[in-house]
């Protein structure tokens, strides 16, 4: 956007995260997604079939 209007942005504005931080953020997202899927799946596995189907 800065180039489109003819201004240059300093590098500290664009270089917010380093490669290692991006990797950790990506892995954190995967862990959160897995927990978000496993907790309801564990409940559904322990619940009676009719109860689990009614909650969907």
């Amino acid at each position: 956007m800065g180039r489109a209007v003819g201004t240059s942005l300093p590098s500290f504005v664009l270089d917010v995260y380093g490669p290692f931080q991006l990797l950790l953020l990506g892995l954190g997202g995967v862990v959160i997604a897995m927990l978000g899927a496993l907790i309801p799946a564990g409940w559904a596995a322990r619940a009676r079939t009719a109860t689990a189907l009614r909650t969907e």
Side-chain angles (χ1 to χ4, degrees):
M1 289 176 57
R3 281 189 224 124
V5 295
T7 62
S8 63
L9 298 170
S11 63
F12 70 87
V13 173
L14 300 175
D15 298 334
V16 179
Y17 297 112
F20 182 69
Q21 291 171 324
L22 287 175
L23 178 66
L24 286 178
L25 285 171
L27 290 174
V30 170
V31 168
I32 290 171
M34 287 177 57
L35 285 176
L38 288 176
I39 292 171
W43 173 84
R46 286 188 304 273
R48 292 181 43 218
T49 304
T51 306
L53 289 174
R54 272 190 232 122
T55 58
E56 290 184 6

